[in-house]
Amino acid sequence: MVLALLVCGLVVLLVAVGLFVFGLRRRLIQRSGGTFDCSLRWNVAEDPDTSGKGWVYGVARYSGDRINWFRVFSYAPRPRRSLERSAIEVLARRAPEGEEELALLSDSVVLGCVHQGTRLELAMSEDALTGFLAWLEAAPPGQRVNVA
């Protein structure tokens, strides 16, 4: 009986520590500011896939001339993807369709892009989209910006 209580207590403690580390990591990512919730679907086909598969929830952070994208459900301290401003080309903008509406946050807008030859989709709120497009267009003189 004592052993069972000890094991249960240890499991509860490990779960609590795991949740605390998730929260601490997110707080450290957001500490420097310039972050927004952003789901990402990497290496997508040309036709929009509305099945909702492939979307990964994350947090994006502006960092100079790049955006660093971090998975939310990860312990990794480094970004999973890093997108350079000069290499991002915006192709299309659309509302989530079909099962995508269940996979994304409720107020999301899907942005179809190409980054260094790889097609990807970003889903973010309307406010975050306005900031993202303004950041793209605010490139230093001499850099090309491709916003559709």
Side-chain angles (χ1 to χ4, degrees), residues 64-65 85-86 135-145:
D65 281 339
R85 179 181 1 215
S86 61
W135 175 78
L136 276 179
E137 292 174 357
Q143 288 187 356
R144 76 183 212 299
V145 176

Side-chain angles (χ1 to χ4, degrees), residues 6-70:
L6 184 63
V7 169
C8 288
L10 186 61
V11 168
V12 168
L13 180 67
L14 288 175
V15 169
V17 167
L19 291 175
F20 175 77
V21 171
F22 270 134
L24 179 64
R25 177 181 170 268
R26 179 152 181 162
R27 180 77 176 136
L28 291 173
I29 290 169
Q30 293 179 325
R31 183 177 65 187
S32 63
T35 61
F36 58 96
D37 292 333
C38 178
S39 296
L40 172 77
R41 184 158 55 174
W42 191 260
N43 205 14
V44 297
E46 287 189 34
D47 297 330
D49 178 15
T50 60
S51 67
K53 293 180 181 176
W55 284 106
V56 181
Y57 183 61
V59 175
R61 180 177 65 197
Y62 296 108
S63 179
D65 281 339
R66 62 182 52 237
I67 285 188
N68 294 322
W69 183 83
F70 300 83

Side-chain angles (χ1 to χ4, degrees), residues 61-69 81-90 111 113-117 120 122 130-148:
R61 180 177 65 197
Y62 296 108
S63 179
D65 281 339
R66 62 182 52 237
I67 285 188
N68 294 322
W69 183 83
R81 302 277 182 207
S82 190
L83 308 174
E84 296 175 33
R85 179 181 1 215
S86 61
I88 299 172
E89 181 180 350
V90 176
L111 201 62
C113 302
V114 172
H115 181 262
Q116 297 177 344
L120 61 109
L122 300 169
T130 301
F132 178 76
L133 294 176
W135 175 78
L136 276 179
E137 292 174 357
Q143 288 187 356
R144 76 183 212 299
V145 176
N146 300 309
V147 179

